[in-house]
Amino acid sequence: MMDFWIILTAVLVASACSILGCFLILRRMALVGDAISHAVLPGIAIAFLMSGTRDSMWMLLGATAFGLLTVFLIQTLQTFGLQSDASIGIVFTALFAVGVLLISLNAQHIDLDLDCVLFGEIAYVPWDTWTLGGIQMGPRAVFMLGITLMVILLLLGLFYKQFKICAFDPAMAAACGIPVLLFHYLLMGMVSMTAVSSFESVGAILVVGMLIIPAATAYLLTHRLGIMIGLSVAVGIVSAISGYLVSYLLDASIAGCIVSVAGILFILALIFSPSSGLLVKFTRRSSSARTAS
Amino acid sequence: MLDWLISLWSDPNTRWILMGCTLLGLGSGVIGSFTFLRRESLLGDTLAHAALPGVCIAFILHEVKSAGLFLVGALLAGIAAVLCVSAISRWTKIKPDAAMGIVLTFFFGVGTVMLTHIQHSGSGSQSGLDKYLFGQAAAMVTRDVYTLMGVSLLLVLAALLLFKEFKLISFDPGFARGIGLPVGLLEHAMLILTTVAVAAGIQAVGVVLVAALLITPAAAARYWTDRLSVMLTFAGLFGALSGASGAAISTLGEGIPTGPVTVLAATLLFAVSLLLAPRRGLVARALRHRGLKADYAARSAVHASGSPEAAEGGGRR
């Protein structure tokens, strides 16, 4: 049962992240996802300080607001003429520093381990349960991630076409009368929500890894958005399950193993992808050289 | 306040750490200016995360904790990471930013697996390895501080010696190649210097925050000047100031970590520069904007009244 909850959590994180990752990769915002998943830390710390517990919906909302604040600050600095890479770097390091400082200053009030912030401790998920009206409802992380995944599926299902046009051609989307900025912030809100709900259970690094690697793998394999999302989720889920097994064999961090497996899948796609893999590319090049001579 | 400053200086251990952090801030501020101008600021973040497997392998091979050894491990892993990033973004349709993200998380993930493997296998002296990653300058021993200071001085010295070359490849690599400079070699040299700065900085501020040492002082310095030499001076100064205040303030209490305070000091300097810098700052820009607007309004009023002498006078002003 323990294994089941852990794998379920990992699969939920992987699916939520790999769906959103496709849009981030297409909009060339992969590193904004990285920034958000680090910058929600002060939101989580403040929610902890104010409510004293961690099982409130307020925490999810409050910390999600911090994710949106990150995006807003990055864009504001850019409109002030700072180049985009530097503004991402300045904003997320500053917010992460605030978070670490808050946690270390209030160590006795905040039940949050700083090591877990980066690596996460998914193995503790089954013990962190919550109850509703005296009934055991299962691990809290699974519940929060389930809600997040549901919100993502709902929003993307309703506005799939709009998100698609915004991802490929924001200028055309604006010309069609789609509120591009609104959809931008909706996407960023979903990324923040995912980052927050998976933060303490799986750690920032698994969130970033799952946001970028499965989507990039799928990007190498197809040219169609729908198929890309499907493949991305498949890669995410496969790496979540096999990563858990590998971690069992190696007696090592579960989150680290999942990301490593995803990275290996990416390398395989990089070499063997039928459309843009290195193998195809080099054989094509050598065969064309042969026909030329 | 004064007592506190004196006590900082009189305790030899604190004094060394203070000097180490100051020099580190100076060195990474100077090197960071070049990466900032080349728009590669986030490379620092990638290098920092990629250092983890290198540090772990160095530990597995030698079973000792030493700053010098970790530096070599981090350097090799950083170079491998950069090669991977450029290979991915060159041979596939994946953009450089996504390539950085992939390499960053993959290396860090592998590093995490190694780290937990080391911890679970339980060789007695591994306890400080995670301290190294999250950055606590107070945990450094004197030998580590010496390494840190040596490395920082090396960075500044290299930037001074290769100033002209680095300036050219930062602003106009095409021209640099045209006049026969070995651009590829210089780019690699700069990359190695950046990796060294990151690897040294991890100990003082931690994996996630070390990128700020490279980015924030340089971005702040950019607001004060349009000349590279002045910008390097300012960036080094800002970096040194934040490093010093981080190390000093963290001595005030048991639970105050060095890294976040250093980064927040740098961010504060950045915010001040963004607002108050002459010419490029927001306040100066708003004032200039208002002045132009008033000038324009005055001139159009003069035109409307139709007096040629007054209009000419307005134009000359």
Side-chain angles (χ1 to χ4, degrees):
Chain A
M1 200 59 194
M2 291 290 144
D3 295 337
F4 169 74
W5 285 124
I6 295 174
I7 292 179
L8 183 62
T9 314
V11 166
L12 283 175
V13 173
S15 348
C17 290
S18 28
I19 295 173
L20 294 174
C22 292
F23 292 95
L24 288 182
I25 294 270
L26 289 174
R27 298 207 60 180
R28 306 184 182 193
M29 296 180 61
L31 289 172
V32 177
D34 180 25
I36 290 179
S37 55
H38 285 93
V40 290
L41 184 61
I44 292 175
I46 291 172
F48 244 99
L49 279 180
M50 281 171 35
S51 65
T53 56
R54 51 176 153 183
D55 47 46
S56 62
M57 262 339 256
W58 293 112
M59 175 158 145
L60 188 61
L61 292 178
T64 303
F66 254 89
L68 288 177
L69 177 73
T70 316
V71 179
F72 175 74
L73 285 178
I74 290 174
Q75 287 203 326
T76 315
L77 283 184
Q78 279 181 27
T79 53
F80 288 157
L82 192 66
Q83 63 209 42
S84 71
D85 60 331
S87 46
I88 293 176
I90 290 174
V91 170
F92 96 83
T93 49
L95 285 173
F96 191 78
V98 171
V100 174
L101 199 61
L102 277 177
I103 292 177
S104 16
L105 286 182
N106 301 291
Q108 65 273 34
H109 301 304
I110 302 183
D111 176 25
L112 198 66
D113 192 356
L114 265 184
D115 293 7
C116 287
V117 166
L118 276 192
F119 306 129
E121 209 27 284
I122 199 171
Y124 297 155
V125 163
W127 281 279
D128 187 15
T129 55
W130 71 294
T131 48
L132 186 73
I135 309 162
Q136 184 68 257
M137 298 291 284
R140 195 176 45 82
V142 170
F143 183 73
M144 272 165 75
L145 282 165
I147 293 180
T148 309
L149 187 60
M150 224 99 91
V151 170
I152 291 171
L153 289 178
L154 189 73
L155 281 174
L156 282 181
L158 283 177
F159 303 113
Y160 180 72
K161 202 171 58 191
Q162 283 85 340
F163 275 114
K164 186 176 175 178
I165 301 178
C166 288
F168 284 105
D169 197 341
M172 180 186 153
C176 295
I178 298 169
V180 178
L181 202 63
L182 176 73
F183 280 103
H184 176 69
Y185 275 100
L186 266 182
L187 182 64
M188 293 299 130
M190 290 191 283
V191 174
S192 321
M193 212 171 143
T194 314
V196 177
S197 52
S198 35
F199 202 83
E200 7 150 20
S201 50
V202 304
I205 199 62
L206 182 55
V207 179
V208 184
M210 285 291 119
L211 273 176
I212 303 176
I213 300 181
T217 312
Y219 187 54
L220 287 177
L221 296 175
T222 177
H223 294 287
R224 300 188 59 83
L225 180 61
I227 301 175
M228 180 177 165
I229 294 177
L231 279 175
S232 172
V233 173
V235 170
I237 291 177
V238 167
S239 29
I241 295 173
S242 44
Y244 182 73
L245 296 178
V246 171
S247 82
Y248 187 75
L249 292 177
L250 290 179
D251 185 23
S253 152
I254 299 172
C257 285
I258 293 176
V259 172
S260 306
V261 170
I264 291 167
L265 289 178
F266 171 77
I267 295 172
L268 290 180
L270 186 68
I271 299 173
F272 297 110
S273 158
S275 58
S276 53
L278 296 184
L279 207 60
V280 176
K281 205 170 271 184
F282 285 125
T283 48
R284 202 182 292 151
R285 187 179 296 170
S286 60
S287 71
S288 67
R290 216 173 302 129
T291 30
S293 67
Chain B
M1 181 73 193
L2 199 63
D3 291 345
W4 172 55
L5 287 177
I6 291 169
S7 76
L8 277 181
W9 198 250
S10 54
D11 177 13
N13 199 24
T14 322
R15 186 168 63 207
W16 281 114
I17 287 172
L18 192 67
M19 281 171 69
C21 288
T22 312
L23 281 176
L24 177 72
L26 178 73
S28 14
V30 169
I31 292 297
S33 302
F34 291 113
T35 48
F36 174 84
L37 290 173
R38 292 170 56 84
R39 297 174 181 264
E40 286 173 348
S41 293
L42 288 171
L43 208 57
D45 196 33
T46 313
L47 291 171
H49 284 85
L52 182 60
V55 171
C56 287
I57 290 175
F59 181 80
I60 292 173
L61 289 181
H62 293 270
E63 296 272 316
V64 285
K65 279 184 295 161
S66 100
L69 208 61
F70 286 174
L71 209 62
V72 175
L75 186 65
L76 293 179
I79 291 170
V82 171
L83 288 180
C84 290
V85 171
S86 55
I88 290 175
S89 49
R90 188 183 190 174
W91 285 333
T92 67
K93 53 184 179 174
I94 291 173
K95 309 294 175 296
D97 68 321
M100 270 197 242
I102 294 166
V103 171
L104 182 161
T105 45
F106 180 55
F107 272 64
F108 196 72
V110 172
T112 319
V113 172
M114 288 179 181
L115 184 70
T116 42
H117 195 67
I118 294 172
Q119 280 172 339
H120 292 177
S121 66
S123 48
S125 57
Q126 98 289 355
S127 58
L129 211 55
D130 47 345
K131 259 293 180 290
Y132 178 85
L133 292 168
F134 290 102
Q136 180 58 284
M140 282 192 282
V141 295
T142 322
R143 205 186 45 212
D144 297 345
V145 178
Y146 285 143
T147 317
L148 202 64
M149 289 167 72
V151 164
S152 315
L153 288 177
L154 176 96
L155 291 177
V156 178
L157 205 67
L160 286 181
L161 283 178
L162 292 171
F163 177 75
K164 203 174 59 188
E165 285 80 6
F166 281 172
K167 186 176 178 177
L168 267 176
I169 64 165
S170 301
F171 287 112
D172 198 343
F175 178 67
R177 192 167 287 125
I179 61 169
L181 279 179
V183 173
L185 200 67
L186 285 168
E187 277 175 346
H188 284 118
M190 190 185 278
L191 205 63
I192 288 176
L193 289 176
T194 316
T195 319
V196 170
V198 167
I202 290 177
Q203 271 201 87
V205 300
V207 169
V208 180
L209 295 177
V210 73
L213 282 189
L214 290 171
I215 307 171
T216 315
R222 181 68 189 87
Y223 281 96
W224 294 88
T225 174
D226 286 330
R227 293 188 59 82
L228 183 64
S229 49
V230 186
M231 178 177 161
L232 287 189
T233 320
F234 267 101
L237 210 66
F238 287 155
L241 205 59
S242 6
S245 42
I249 292 174
S250 68
T251 61
L252 281 175
E254 191 61 35
I256 303 178
T258 326
V261 179
T262 308
V263 172
L264 287 179
T267 314
L268 188 69
L269 285 170
F270 169 77
V272 170
S273 311
L274 175 70
L275 286 175
L276 299 180
R279 296 207 21 246
R280 295 170 64 94
L282 288 184
V283 173
R285 254 193 266 180
L287 284 180
R288 197 164 57 230
H289 193 69
R290 258 184 55 189
L292 279 177
K293 247 175 148 175
D295 202 37
Y296 182 75
R299 256 195 260 176
S300 37
V302 167
H303 274 291
S305 68
S307 147
E309 291 98 329
E312 212 179 318
R316 208 175 287 146
R317 178 155 51 90

